[in-house]
Amino acid sequence: MLSALDPIVDPSGEKISQRPFWLFITACIICVGAALLMDAPVIALLPAGVLFGLYALVNVKQLYYLFFFLLPFSIEVELPGGFGTDLPSEPIMILLTGLCIVLLIKNLSTLPKVYFVHPISILLYAHVAWIFVTAIFSMHPFISFKFFMAKIWYVVPFFFMPFLLFKDEKEYKKLFMYLGLGVFIAITFVLVKHAGKGFSFDSANKVVRPIFRNHVNYAILLLSFLPYLIYLTLRKHSYRWVKYFAIVIMLVAIYLTYTRAAQLSVVLAIMIWLMLRLQLSKYAIGIGLILAILFVGFLCTDNRYLDFAPDFEKAVQHRKFDNLVEATTKMQDISTVERFYRWIAGFYMVGNKPILGYGPSTFYTEYKKHTVTSYKTYVSDNPEKSGIHNYYLMTAVEQGMPGFLILMSLIILTILYGERCLVTLQDRQSKWLIIAATITFILINIVLLINDLLEADKVGPFFFLSMSIIVFFSCQNQVKLKKNA
């Protein structure tokens, strides 16, 4: 009879030790006992967590695919001590960050260095480094360093890790197939719940819960995936009609989010595609920047912004979508007016601390000292502790003008490189992927004009992954051109 520690012989004749199995069982028993004694259920999960980590270490690519499949189902959870996280996405992001660092160290001598010295990569280093600097001088350093750490586990796994895992367009396609499966399961969940409410506007926020924070979060996820869905459809593949049907479902789902920015962005996506095909990006960016400077200058001169202050009594929430659109144009929608209330405070804050800013993630704790009562609304008490609703202005407030200029340079350079890839790439499938990545990247940046959700788990991965795809194919194409020269 075999003892518990005797080796087992597999069919090939090799001996397999049972010691790791019994060590794992012993660890489970100890951790379960400790969890019961200390009334801390999390301790019981430690052996499974270690086992999962070891599995992930030798199957990193499968873990990466799994993350994108699970991304639409990630749920926001409040933890003791005032902390919050997104489960299961954030723990996996932290694990992927650690694994990426391990892979970088392990493969240091054979790293594809061309990706890491690309101009976009260098600007991204500057972006993260400046966040670190402003966190040191922050009004609230603890909050700012939490933001800095979160930025790390967005940048490392979604910008840098694909350079280590993927070798060609087909592997990216597989990633988006996994993501698409998860997205459409989530859409089905929301549409079924929404159908039970008659697809009403006032239920749009409720039906997306618990897997989405609100209808805006849901809408931006759908919008970010839409260009990649079209890319999958345009690939040479059987059952294309199924994918066309999927696009129709996606467009219906975006409409039923009742999110104005997402609906408008679908139309803008077509215009962006034309802009990229006609190589007009630099002109569009130049005109956009000039108009933005003139608009801000006009409002700031002689305090003209006060002339547009709304009637406090008329700025209210609306229960019908058509009423909401009409109210927005008349500056009577409460969410629009509240944005202006916070933006004005933000401009005053930039003027007070233009170099280092107030510190990452500190807008909420500081902005009420700088508000103008003319724009105050019924929700200005801000019990939900939401932000400024403009990522660019938030960056200027929290990281000063240097941080803002670094971010804008990073965004502009990424768009220009995306357009450049379309001209020089020869492979049709890769071209469609670059188009999808560049359109997604631009759409997210448009949405960031009225939101500050880049560090949300359902937005940030798309932003940095799209940048990574553009750098990947830019470098691949550069290498091919040198070989053919």
Side-chain angles (χ1 to χ4, degrees):
M1 182 179 292
L2 290 172
S3 72
L5 297 180
D6 283 339
I8 297 173
V9 179
D10 74 358
S12 66
E14 294 183 6
K15 293 180 179 180
I16 303 173
S17 175
Q18 294 186 58
R19 283 188 176 86
F21 171 76
W22 289 108
L23 284 172
F24 178 73
I25 293 297
T26 303
C28 287
I29 293 170
I30 292 170
C31 287
V32 169
L36 293 172
L37 287 172
M38 299 173 67
D39 193 25
V42 174
I43 296 175
L45 300 175
L46 287 177
V50 171
L51 191 65
F52 179 74
L54 291 172
Y55 171 81
L57 191 59
V58 295
N59 295 278
V60 181
K61 192 180 292 186
Q62 283 72 23
L63 177 64
Y64 206 71
Y65 291 144
L66 176 65
F67 169 82
F68 279 94
F69 169 72
L70 294 175
L71 180 61
F73 314 111
S74 185
I75 297 174
E76 205 170 297
V77 177
E78 289 293 327
L79 300 175
F83 290 94
T85 188
D86 298 289
L87 297 176
S89 65
E90 199 160 39
I92 299 178
M93 286 160 63
I94 296 170
L95 176 60
L96 286 170
T97 301
L99 291 172
C100 185
I101 293 169
V102 170
L103 290 173
L104 284 169
I105 296 170
K106 182 182 176 183
N107 302 293
L108 199 58
S109 60
T110 58
L111 281 177
K113 295 180 178 61
V114 64
Y115 303 127
F116 297 89
V117 296
H118 191 278
I120 292 174
S121 301
I122 292 169
L123 268 177
L124 188 57
Y125 301 144
H127 174 59
V128 175
W130 187 253
I131 291 173
F132 180 77
V133 171
T134 54
I136 294 173
F137 295 96
S138 171
M139 302 287 288
H140 304 274
F142 179 71
I143 296 174
S144 295
F145 274 104
K146 279 170 57 182
F147 179 93
F148 171 74
M149 292 305 298
K151 178 65 75 171
I152 293 296
W153 62 67
Y154 277 97
V155 170
V156 172
F158 304 119
F159 182 80
F160 291 110
M161 201 167 201
F163 302 148
L164 306 176
L165 296 182
F166 301 144
K167 295 178 181 177
D168 54 38
E169 176 266 339
K170 290 180 181 177
E171 293 186 299
Y172 283 100
K173 181 210 76 172
K174 191 174 181 180
L175 182 151
F176 290 113
M177 292 290 286
Y178 275 101
L179 175 61
L181 179 59
V183 167
F184 276 94
I185 293 173
I187 288 174
T188 303
F189 168 81
V190 172
L191 289 182
V192 168
K193 286 184 69 179
H194 208 176
K197 302 289 185 180
F199 296 112
S200 62
F201 168 64
D202 59 351
S203 66
N205 252 339
K206 300 173 186 175
V207 297
V208 302
R209 295 170 186 154
I211 59 176
F212 295 95
R213 184 176 190 178
N214 51 45
H215 71 112
V216 175
N217 196 262
Y218 171 55
I220 296 176
L221 172 74
L222 300 187
L223 181 67
S224 300
F225 180 64
L226 178 61
Y228 290 113
L229 175 61
I230 295 171
Y231 146 71
L232 291 173
T233 304
L234 293 171
R235 288 188 96 262
K236 293 178 181 178
H237 226 282
S238 55
Y239 304 110
R240 188 175 286 183
W241 65 270
V242 175
K243 294 177 182 177
Y244 288 142
F245 179 70
I247 291 174
V248 173
I249 295 297
M250 177 69 76
L251 292 174
V252 170
I254 289 173
Y255 173 76
L256 291 174
T257 64
Y258 298 116
T259 307
R260 291 158 290 179
Q263 293 172 346
L264 176 61
S265 294
V266 172
V267 178
L268 290 176
I270 300 170
M271 297 172 64
I272 293 166
W273 176 76
L274 289 171
M275 177 191 76
L276 294 172
R277 292 299 297 263
L278 297 173
Q279 300 177 51
L280 299 174
S281 293
K282 55 181 177 292
Y283 303 109
I285 291 168
I287 292 169
L289 290 174
I290 291 169
L291 290 176
I293 292 168
L294 291 175
F295 179 67
V296 172
F298 171 77
L299 291 177
C300 291
T301 304
D302 299 325
N303 292 330
R304 283 198 188 97
Y305 69 90
L306 293 173
D307 297 338
F308 300 93
D311 186 334
F312 181 85
E313 298 297 331
K314 291 182 179 180
V316 296
Q317 289 178 309
H318 295 269
R319 299 215 171 254
K320 290 186 178 180
F321 187 62
D322 52 352
N323 291 346
L324 175 62
V325 174
E326 181 184 356
T328 301
T329 61
K330 295 180 179 179
M331 280 286 289
Q332 293 177 359
D333 169 49
I334 198 164
S335 65
T336 303
V337 177
E338 181 63 21
R339 278 180 169 85
F340 280 100
Y341 179 69
R342 299 182 195 183
W343 293 350
I344 292 165
F347 277 108
Y348 279 112
M349 293 171 77
V350 173
N352 286 344
K353 293 179 73 70
I355 305 301
L356 292 170
Y358 286 77
S361 199
T362 60
F363 172 79
Y364 171 75
T365 58
E366 297 293 325
Y367 84 97
K368 289 187 179 179
K369 306 168 191 174
H370 307 277
T371 54
V372 174
T373 54
S374 301
Y375 279 81
K376 191 172 183 179
T377 69
Y378 292 104
V379 296
S380 291
D381 290 339
N382 196 5
E384 74 280 6
K385 300 182 179 180
S386 59
I388 195 171
H389 292 293
N390 182 305
Y391 195 81
Y392 310 103
L393 183 54
M394 184 192 81
T395 301
V397 168
E398 298 180 349
Q399 300 169 36
M401 289 306 295
F404 169 78
L405 293 173
I406 292 170
L407 176 66
M408 291 304 299
S409 300
L410 179 63
I411 291 167
I412 292 169
L413 194 65
T414 302
I415 295 169
L416 294 178
Y417 264 99
E419 182 182 85
R420 182 179 173 184
C421 277
L422 297 180
V423 179
T424 54
L425 270 175
Q426 300 299 318
D427 179 59
R428 182 175 177 271
Q429 310 292 357
S430 298
K431 274 194 173 187
W432 282 117
L433 179 54
I434 284 290
I435 290 172
T438 309
I439 292 176
T440 293
F441 185 78
I442 294 172
L443 288 178
I444 291 173
N445 280 288
I446 290 171
V447 171
L448 290 179
L449 286 167
I450 57 170
N451 282 292
D452 43 30
L453 293 173
L454 189 54
E455 280 69 40
D457 68 326
K458 293 182 172 72
V459 182
F462 288 98
F463 183 87
F464 292 107
L465 180 63
S466 296
M467 284 178 60
S468 181
I469 290 170
I470 290 168
V471 171
F472 179 88
F473 285 100
S474 173
C475 293
Q476 291 270 314
N477 193 53
Q478 187 179 347
V479 171
K480 287 179 182 177
L481 289 175
K482 284 183 179 179
K483 284 182 180 178
N484 296 331

